[in-house]
């Protein structure tokens, strides 16, 4: 999976890392094959940045998001959210799956009925297996 920044905006000196992905690798094994889903992926998302992961089916987007959410453990590397190592699911991260009642609120009233949402890591994934906010 290749990660590229498109037209980065100048960041203020006070912007701090919200999410740090360092050297994350993940392989899946079966009787027939070994699939290298991610190899040495690194990315830093600063507070206030908006990031989209785009790529063809099978390139590792959902695997990376599962690792960021703490649902899957990487073989190597680490993920830090707000300076804390992600070792499993946590209350500060929200995962939404397609078809959930929260995936597409139809009105402001509906959206507001969810109440206060957990603090966000600033990552959203709305295509594929789930969403991380």
């Amino acid at each position: 999976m290749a990660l590229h920044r498109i037209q980065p905006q100048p960041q203020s000196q006070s912007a701090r890392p919200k999410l740090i992905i360092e050297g994350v690798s993940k392989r899946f094994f079966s009787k027939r094959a070994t699939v290298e889903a991610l190899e040495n992926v690194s990315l830093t998302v600063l507070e206030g940045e908006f990031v989209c992961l785009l790529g063809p089916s099978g390139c590792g987007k959902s695997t990376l998001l599962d690792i960021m959410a703490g649902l899957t453990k990487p073989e190597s590397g680490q993920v830090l959210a707000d300076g804390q190592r992600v070792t499993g699911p946590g209350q500060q991260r929200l995962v939404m799956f397609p078809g959930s009642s929260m995936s597409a609120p139809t009105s402001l009233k509906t959206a507001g009925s969810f109440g206060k949402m957990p603090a966000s890591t600033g990552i959203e994934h709305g295509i594929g297996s789930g969403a991380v906010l």
Side-chain angles (χ1 to χ4, degrees), residues 71-115:
L71 300 174
T72 300
K73 296 204 182 304
E75 286 185 26
S76 63
Q78 67 176 351
V79 175
L80 302 170
D82 289 322
Q84 301 295 313
R85 188 172 185 163
V86 174
T87 57
Q91 292 181 343
Q92 71 279 17
R93 293 177 299 280
L94 173 66
V95 178
M96 293 173 46
F97 297 94
S100 71
S101 61
M102 292 177 60
S103 62
T106 55
S107 70
L108 289 176
K109 182 178 178 184
T110 303
S113 69
F114 294 118

Side-chain angles (χ1 to χ4, degrees), residues 31-85:
K31 292 179 182 178
R32 294 185 290 163
T34 298
V35 175
E36 184 124 20
L38 300 170
E39 182 180 1
N40 197 29
V41 174
S42 295
L43 173 70
T44 299
V45 180
L46 299 177
E47 191 168 28
E49 280 188 310
F50 180 82
V51 176
C52 295
L53 299 177
L54 302 173
S57 178
C59 75
K61 300 179 303 290
S62 294
T63 299
L64 182 59
L65 290 166
D66 286 348
I67 291 170
M68 287 189 286
L71 300 174
T72 300
K73 296 204 182 304
E75 286 185 26
S76 63
Q78 67 176 351
V79 175
L80 302 170
D82 289 322
Q84 301 295 313
R85 188 172 185 163

